[in-house]
Amino acid sequence: MKVLVTVKEVAEPDDDFAIEGTDIAEADLEYDLNEWDDYAVEAAVQLAEAGIADEVVAVTIGPERAEETIRMALAKGADRAVRVWDDAFEEGFSDVAAKVTTFEAVVEAEEPDLVLGGVQAADTGFGATGVALAERIGFEHAAVVNDLEVDADAGVARVHRELEGGVEELTDVDLPAVLTVQTGLNEPRYASLRGIRQAQRKEIDAKDLADLGLSAADVESALAITSMYEPESESDAEIIEGDAGEAAGRLAEVLREKGVSA
Amino acid sequence: MSDVLVVSEHRRGELRDVSYEAITAGRELADARGGDLRVAAIGGDVDGFAEDLNREGVDAVHAVANGEEFDHNVYQSAVGALLERTDAGTVVIPNSVNGLDYAPAVAEEHDLPLVTDAIGFEYDDGLTVTREMYGSKVETTVDVDGDRFVLTVRGGEWAPAEGVGDATVESVEVDHPESGARVTGFEEVAGGDVDISEADVLVSVGRGIEEEENLELVEELADALGATLSASRPIVDNGWLPKNRQVGQSGKVVTPDVYIAIGISGAVQHVAGMKGSDTIVAINTDPNAPIFDIADYGVVGDLFDVVPELIDEFA
């Protein structure tokens, strides 16, 4: 069985950041593997270690800079990677359909039995690509999976979906399927030194849209970000000033007023 | 195509609150588009749901009598059938775990733009959605190309629709493909020895605690204050505390007299679980952390400096 893992390099703003135009200033952003995708990579690697998956392929849509991130997925045990980028993606904010079109082309080439990806990306927070991809490629799907057992012989993934309020839905999903992975599904490993060394020799296949038989028109976005701003603080909090000792003193006073005592 | 279709959400026999909030959002949109507001109840006690969903401003309720609990294939098929049979050109869906299990498929199937997790919108010539990015640190406005779309709306952002409307109610069954995803049951995972929703004072710990060994510090504080220890999601994801200690959308909703958030940034999913607390105290190094927006008292500082001092105050 072949597993495709979609990963994204996400940007995280520093505590202090400036907004330039419709995005945060490049200098104030740090890049990292999306937290949710880290759990998806771990799930895929565990399937390989259990002898269920024969091959784990990581795929990302991202510029050359993202190779550092996708190499982390390789260091953790993915066999190889595909990185898709094109000038067309620089044009603006890609919508879900544009990403799905790109991943669809990769799925056609790779023919996976299972696609895993994070529930959402930490930066844009759409939470939609996996389910939309499943619809496009005719796979079954389950969103927000926090427990996963693959029965390859039966062709079924037995999952828990994490609903709101501490309730989980138990669902059997026929393969091939796309599952979106929630944090907490497993314990993502740290890449070992050996893994990091091996990852240097693993293949990252860089493709542009033409390589996938697509053109810029295929990934045209229906969405445009027209402004970005820091939300007005609705805070009417009393911010307690002073050093740690003074702050703790005032806080203790407040807590005692509210009836807190051991 | 100017009508708006709102899809309600229910679980185990109860409509969820976000259904009524989505009706309010849908009504705003229908007014701006000069169309009717249609609401779908899909599966379960649809006749009972139809009665409850007939709030002021609802023009039609479609009671789709297929199945009992949520099934994404049924929901997708029902929305498709209603888009075909009615004048609805636009769909509003709760931005919930189940909403996100079919809304993207609806948008994809009908080739409609999708914007998720809206916290507001304006509609003039077209739709402009307000949504957050970068973990609630910024807000953005997003313009949608085209006058038909699928929008998912965040819970708690619109007031729930009230009153009684004079909607027509249509009962209907839809054809749907046999489901390749079969629900076999439900599990309550937040049980166990401690019920944090019963506590008067909660000391709640988040990612800022950094290491599992450091939990001792907040345990000591909880002891000193006679408080119960709870946590935000990353602590539970790491397996440092059990699931029954988790505050938030996927954990417990708590309303203690005093909630002390330590090293918790205040992501929207966490805030949804504790904003009803009487008094909220936050200790965090990041002055821009969203937790300070809902806190009554805040200390901008390092928890490793402040918490030991606070323990001393109560020793």
Side-chain angles (χ1 to χ4, degrees):
Chain A
M1 174 162 131
K2 185 168 176 177
V3 182
L4 188 69
V5 191
T6 59
V7 299
K8 184 181 178 189
E9 183 191 64
V10 295
E12 190 184 339
D14 300 332
D15 281 353
D16 285 313
F17 60 85
I19 293 170
E20 284 176 3
T22 59
D23 208 344
I24 289 175
E26 185 63 36
D28 298 333
L29 292 173
E30 306 284 339
Y31 292 91
D32 203 352
L33 173 62
N34 181 38
E35 186 183 355
W36 283 264
D37 298 343
D38 200 12
Y39 288 85
V41 169
E42 178 64 33
V45 172
Q46 286 185 11
L47 287 173
E49 287 170 347
I52 295 168
D54 314 312
E55 192 180 22
V56 174
V57 180
V59 55
T60 194
I61 302 172
E64 203 168 347
R65 185 194 58 227
E67 295 218 346
E68 202 178 317
T69 297
I70 202 164
R71 217 169 272 289
M72 287 309 292
L74 294 174
K76 290 176 183 213
D79 295 299
R80 60 189 175 81
V82 178
R83 180 180 66 83
V84 183
W85 194 242
D86 199 280
D87 290 346
F89 293 115
E90 312 260 12
E91 298 293 306
F93 182 77
S94 294
D95 62 6
V96 175
K99 290 176 188 166
V100 165
T101 297
T102 308
F103 284 138
E104 178 190 24
V106 175
V107 166
E108 273 170 13
E110 296 287 346
E111 301 186 329
D113 305 284
L114 178 64
V115 179
L116 299 175
V119 163
Q120 62 178 354
D123 48 8
T124 49
F126 258 66
T129 307
V131 171
L133 176 64
E135 171 66 20
R136 178 79 67 89
I137 63 180
F139 280 26
E140 255 308 327
H141 74 262
V144 194
V145 165
N146 72 346
D147 192 71
L148 168 65
E149 184 195 318
V150 174
D151 183 341
D153 294 333
V156 171
R158 294 184 224 289
V159 307
H160 290 200
R161 294 182 56 236
E162 184 191 73
L163 305 181
E164 294 84 357
V167 178
E168 294 180 3
E169 178 202 276
L170 283 54
T171 303
D172 289 350
V173 186
D174 290 343
L175 300 176
V178 180
L179 307 177
T180 75
V181 168
Q182 176 63 300
T183 59
L185 171 69
N186 48 41
E187 286 180 42
R189 68 194 66 194
Y190 291 98
S192 64
L193 280 173
R194 185 162 160 269
I196 291 167
R197 265 201 315 276
Q198 283 175 342
Q200 297 306 320
R201 294 195 299 274
K202 289 180 180 172
E203 179 199 353
I204 300 178
D205 188 6
K207 290 178 185 293
D208 62 14
L209 288 176
D211 294 331
L212 294 172
L214 298 170
S215 70
D218 295 318
V219 298
E220 214 172 303
S221 177
L223 306 182
I225 294 183
T226 47
S227 70
M228 180 178 286
Y229 50 90
E230 285 189 70
E232 294 218 359
S233 173
E234 289 155 19
S235 175
D236 46 12
E238 175 190 330
I239 298 296
I240 297 168
E241 307 286 346
D243 65 24
E246 288 161 358
R250 169 69 185 132
L251 209 48
E253 203 177 293
V254 167
L255 292 174
R256 287 202 176 93
E257 272 171 30
K258 303 288 173 190
V260 177
S261 64
Chain B
M1 290 308 210
S2 54
D3 290 3
V4 174
L5 176 67
V6 168
V7 186
S8 64
E9 178 165 326
H10 60 87
R11 190 195 301 162
R12 297 156 131 188
E14 302 274 343
L15 281 167
R16 303 191 66 233
D17 290 346
V18 67
S19 302
Y20 302 114
E21 297 162 16
I23 288 175
T24 302
R27 185 65 256 172
E28 275 176 35
L29 202 51
D31 284 343
R33 293 166 62 89
D36 282 351
L37 175 61
R38 302 170 176 277
V39 179
I42 306 170
D45 173 21
V46 289
D47 295 330
F49 294 155
E51 208 169 303
D52 291 339
L53 292 167
N54 181 14
R55 300 266 162 125
E56 222 170 283
V58 177
D59 298 300
V61 178
H62 302 274
V64 184
N66 290 76
E68 285 301 315
E69 292 292 341
F70 174 76
D71 174 328
H72 60 230
N73 280 314
V74 172
Y75 272 61
Q76 187 182 341
S77 299
V79 171
L82 293 171
L83 285 177
E84 197 171 303
R85 291 184 31 230
T86 72
D87 248 346
T90 280
V91 189
V92 176
I93 292 172
N95 193 73
S96 59
V97 170
N98 281 343
L100 289 174
D101 198 43
Y102 73 97
V106 167
E108 176 58 36
E109 181 187 351
H110 300 282
D111 201 15
L112 298 174
L114 169 70
V115 183
T116 61
D117 204 18
I119 60 171
F121 59 75
E122 277 179 49
Y123 192 96
D124 289 322
D125 292 335
L127 179 71
T128 300
V129 181
T130 305
R131 64 191 304 282
E132 295 178 339
M133 260 181 74
Y134 296 115
S136 305
K137 287 194 169 172
V138 299
E139 285 181 14
T140 59
T141 52
V142 180
D143 277 7
V144 179
D145 186 20
D147 62 352
R148 299 184 56 198
F149 44 83
V150 176
L151 185 68
T152 72
V153 293
R154 180 183 290 182
E157 297 292 328
W158 281 267
E162 293 179 351
V164 178
D166 49 8
T168 56
V169 176
E170 179 207 39
S171 294
V172 60
E173 272 192 58
V174 297
D175 294 329
H176 60 88
E178 197 180 329
S179 209
R182 296 164 300 280
V183 177
T184 59
F186 292 91
E187 230 174 69
E188 300 270 356
V189 290
D193 52 332
V194 178
D195 188 353
I196 54 171
S197 62
E198 296 289 318
D200 295 328
V201 183
L202 283 173
V203 167
S204 207
V205 58
R207 212 189 278 266
I209 199 72
E210 292 172 2
E211 303 285 342
E212 186 171 10
E213 320 54 295
N214 298 338
L215 280 181
E216 277 176 26
L217 185 64
V218 285
E219 280 164 359
E220 208 181 313
L221 178 65
D223 281 348
L225 302 180
T228 302
L229 188 63
S230 59
S232 67
R233 170 162 206 126
I235 304 301
V236 175
D237 278 350
N238 287 343
W240 298 349
L241 284 173
K243 182 92 184 171
N244 62 5
R245 302 277 182 161
Q246 186 179 328
V247 174
Q249 211 162 60
S250 55
K252 285 266 169 81
V253 174
V254 299
T255 53
D257 297 336
V258 179
Y259 187 89
I260 307 173
I262 299 176
I264 292 176
S265 67
V268 55
Q269 294 84 354
H270 182 77
V271 169
M274 46 67 78
K275 63 183 175 202
S277 307
D278 281 349
T279 299
I280 297 170
V281 176
I283 303 173
N284 203 296
T285 48
D286 177 6
N288 297 315
I291 193 77
F292 290 119
D293 287 347
I294 56 150
D296 300 294
Y297 299 91
V299 176
V300 179
D302 190 334
L303 73 91
F304 296 106
D305 297 331
V306 178
V307 172
E309 297 279 356
L310 191 55
I311 292 168
D312 284 349
E313 292 283 340
F314 283 85

